[in-house]
Structures are given as structure tokens and as C-alpha cells.
Amino acid sequence: MMKLIIILLIPKYKDTTLNKIVTDWLYRYIKDFKENSANNKSSLEINYTLYNINNYSNIFFDISNSLNEKDKRKSILINLKDKKLSLITELYNEEELREKIDIVNKKYSSEISNKILTADINTFNYLILEDEFIVYFDNIYYGNISYDPLLNLGDSKESSFEDIKDKKMVSLTFDDGPNENTLEILDCLLTNDSKATFFELGNRMKNNREITKKLYDNGMEIGSHTYSHKYLTRISKNEVLNEINSVSILFNEITNDNIKLLRVPYGSVNSEVRNLSPFPIISWSIDTKDWLYKDPNKSLPIILDNVSDGDIILMHDIHKRNL
């Protein structure tokens, strides 16, 4: 008979009624986990993040070895005054929330955005932190999508959000570095008061620690592109974990901070890889093909002819451009 190992990190309130709300929710999940006939996993680990706002407590659970892929994130909202589970529409105005979430029309394909916009807004998972408000659309099936749709709605300190609907933005991302070319890109970004995300390879990060640290110190976002750029769908589970975890360890050694995003090489992902990844998997919407042309005069029109609000632009910082 399989022995079940359960590791729980749960918040503790001074009020026993509030504690019971949390433990009752967790025990229901654990019961389902144990009784699920299709589940052959022998361990369950649940961690949490908690933020209190306006007499509400948001508890965001990070679940390893969940019942299924869409259960790896769960959140609950507790009304601390009434001592009961609450809905997100009790804390935030539903019309305002829907207006902000409507930005998925520009961020994701129509197939994805239509599913999000027609779903019950209270069924999404919400991570409410001091300086950001993130919505995860885990409860919807998207088919073979290479990323988990989410929105960061910005500041959460007040019950109303900063108006972002008129701000048009794109994400600049650079893969495969760092190397000496990365510093040229950094200088250009700083000159133009801009930020970008660098998805770095662990084997290059290891040999260019000072460049990674300089990016980090200058406010750039750094994500993992795995250690050695392998097809994660073609290697074993342990190899996948090694490719992901080794970069996390290196980045923490260099910056004393933690990796938060993953871009899989070649966009090659399946349900097992998504389930193994402890981070959101970030894809792209515009491929500049700079790796092929190495000529900005050919790559730039690809961006300008296709770009729209919310796009994620894929570039690389390892190739010397032919100027």
C-alpha cells in the first residue's frame, strides 16, 4: 500500500474560527487527493502566500503534486470581520474587475480571451500582494497552450486599480544569454529608460555572473531559459527538473533573489513539463527571427508590421548584429 506523505505550510490566526476555515478547506483538498482513484502520487506539499487588505485575508496556495495540472494554484479569500469565506467580488467591484480583465482581448488570442471573459469571475485564482494583483485563469481548459494565461493588474494597496486601459505596452524579451552583447543591449535600454526580460541559460549565466548581476542591479527582469537549452519534452522527468532547478540555484547565488519565470527552449512544452515547472511558462507572440537574419533591417519590420498592445516580442542577445 502506498504511503502518503503530506507537507503543509498553513497560516495560523489567533482566532480559532478563522483557523477552522483554512483547515477545513485544506482537509477537503487532502481528502480528494487521497480518494482520487486516478492519482498515483505518494506526496503532497502545500505552501502559501498571504496578504491582508481591507479586513480581508487572501491566501494563495502553491500545491506540488496536485490532483491535476490546473490544481497547482488555489486561492481563498476570508472576510476577517464576518469570519467566513468570501468572493473576490465582495472585495473589488465586479464591473471594475471585468473592465480590467477585458485587456485579455489584446493580450491573448480570441479563443483564449473568449473563454476567460465568459467565465465566472469568482472562479479564477487571485494572488493579492502589497504591490501587485495577479489573476490566474487556471479553471479553464485551453487545449495545447504553451503557457498559463494570467494578468498582472498592478497595485493592490487600494480597492480600486490604477487605470491601465489607455496605456499601450509590449514586453521586450531576450533569450539565450548572457554574453558580451547583453551589455550593449542593457546600455541601449538604460539610455531609453526602458526595461526588458532576459531569459538566461544557466550554462552562460554560470560563466557570466557579473553580467547577470548587472542586469539585475539595473532593474531588468531575469527568467530561466533552462540550463542547456534542451527539448524538455524529449528528456526524462529528472533531467527536466535538473534543467530548471540548476538555473534557480545559480541565480540565487548571484543575486540572492529567486527566479520567477520560465521560457522553455523552442517553445517545446507538454502537460508534464507544465506540471513540473514551479514557475509560469512564458511564450511569445512575435518572433523577430533575429537569430536567422542577424540584421535589424529585416527584424524590425516584423515587429512594426505586426505589433499590438500586450504583445511579447522574442529576440536574442547572443548574436552580433550585422549593421
Side-chain angles (χ1 to χ4, degrees):
M1 182 177 180
M2 179 178 61
K3 181 180 180 181
L4 178 63
I5 301 173
I6 300 175
I7 303 173
L8 293 178
L9 291 177
I10 60 174
K12 293 290 185 181
Y13 297 93
K14 293 181 180 179
D15 190 297
T16 56
T17 302
L18 297 177
N19 284 330
K20 189 173 187 303
I21 293 173
V22 179
T23 54
D24 284 352
W25 186 93
L26 284 168
Y27 288 156
R28 282 195 298 271
Y29 185 88
I30 293 170
K31 182 180 178 182
D32 289 342
F33 184 92
K34 294 168 71 174
E35 293 179 351
N36 189 330
S37 59
N39 177 50
N40 296 316
K41 299 170 182 176
S42 60
S43 64
L44 177 64
E45 182 175 349
I46 301 178
N47 298 293
Y48 77 92
T49 301
L50 181 147
Y51 182 60
N52 292 326
I53 179 173
N54 297 348
N55 293 317
Y56 287 83
S57 189
N58 170 240
I59 308 175
F60 186 89
F61 294 105
D62 182 10
I63 305 172
S64 299
N65 280 350
S66 53
L67 287 170
N68 59 61
E69 183 183 344
K70 294 190 178 299
D71 276 343
K72 62 185 178 183
R73 288 183 290 255
K74 290 290 185 181
S75 66
I76 59 175
L77 187 67
I78 299 177
N79 185 319
L80 299 176
K81 182 179 179 181
D82 296 340
K83 300 180 182 179
K84 65 177 185 178
L85 284 174
S86 298
L87 301 175
I88 195 67
T89 48
E90 295 178 31
L91 177 57
Y92 294 103
N93 179 274
E94 181 172 0
E95 183 177 343
E96 185 179 332
L97 268 176
R98 289 196 179 279
E99 180 183 348
K100 300 306 177 187
I101 290 176
D102 187 70
I103 200 174
V104 298
N105 271 321
K106 297 180 178 179
K107 186 175 178 63
Y108 298 113
S109 69
S110 59
E111 179 184 0
I112 295 174
S113 58
N114 287 340
K115 289 183 178 181
I116 291 172
L117 295 173
T118 56
D120 183 352
I121 201 169
N122 286 297
T123 60
F124 302 144
N125 287 309
Y126 297 87
L127 175 57
I128 307 173
L129 301 174
E130 185 174 1
D131 56 355
E132 59 184 348
F133 185 102
I134 303 174
V135 188
Y136 295 90
F137 307 112
D138 307 84
N139 60 315
I140 301 172
Y141 177 71
Y142 302 97
N144 296 319
I145 301 300
S146 62
Y147 50 89
D148 293 332
L150 60 88
L151 284 181
N152 190 327
L153 298 182
D155 199 338
S156 66
K157 292 181 181 179
E158 304 295 335
S159 292
S160 60
F161 303 110
E162 177 187 3
D163 190 2
I164 63 171
K165 69 180 182 217
D166 295 325
K167 296 181 179 179
K168 297 185 184 301
M169 296 173 283
V170 298
S171 294
L172 305 177
T173 69
F174 295 90
D175 286 11
D176 292 353
N179 69 3
E180 64 276 4
N181 299 320
T182 306
L183 295 177
E184 294 183 28
I185 293 172
L186 174 61
D187 288 341
C188 181
L189 290 167
L190 294 176
T191 299
N192 290 278
D193 193 25
S194 299
K195 294 289 191 292
T197 301
F198 292 81
F199 288 100
E200 296 189 346
L201 291 170
N203 54 14
R204 290 200 170 105
M205 182 189 294
K206 181 179 180 180
N207 296 317
N208 295 280
R209 293 169 179 256
E210 70 287 350
I211 298 178
T212 296
K213 185 65 163 60
K214 190 168 184 178
L215 289 173
Y216 177 83
D217 289 342
N218 280 280
M220 302 298 150
E221 185 173 40
I222 300 175
S224 170
H225 199 36
T226 72
Y227 188 81
S228 57
H229 211 275
K230 295 180 179 179
Y231 280 94
L232 298 189
T233 55
R234 301 178 184 178
I235 58 179
S236 69
K237 175 180 176 180
N238 286 338
E239 287 177 302
V240 171
L241 291 173
N242 286 337
E243 284 286 317
I244 296 173
N245 294 337
S246 55
V247 181
S248 299
I249 294 169
L250 268 172
F251 182 74
N252 183 260
E253 288 177 355
I254 295 169
T255 66
N256 199 33
D257 200 354
N258 298 314
I259 287 283
K260 300 179 179 66
L261 303 173
L262 170 67
R263 173 170 284 168
V264 296
Y266 314 104
S268 177
V269 67
N270 56 21
S271 59
E272 180 177 67
V273 171
R274 284 193 290 268
N275 195 43
L276 289 173
S277 174
F279 317 115
I281 297 177
I282 307 301
S283 186
W284 57 87
S285 54
I286 295 180
D287 183 354
T288 62
K289 299 191 184 300
D290 59 342
W291 55 272
L292 174 63
Y293 300 127
K294 301 183 178 66
D295 182 351
N297 294 319
K298 293 184 177 180
S299 295
L300 184 58
I302 295 176
I303 300 174
L304 298 181
D305 292 345
N306 297 282
V307 71
S308 61
D309 186 30
D311 272 327
I312 301 175
I313 301 172
L314 170 63
M315 296 173 282
H316 298 78
D317 56 332
I318 60 167
H319 305 297
K320 195 70 176 178
R321 270 53 177 174
N322 298 321
L323 298 176

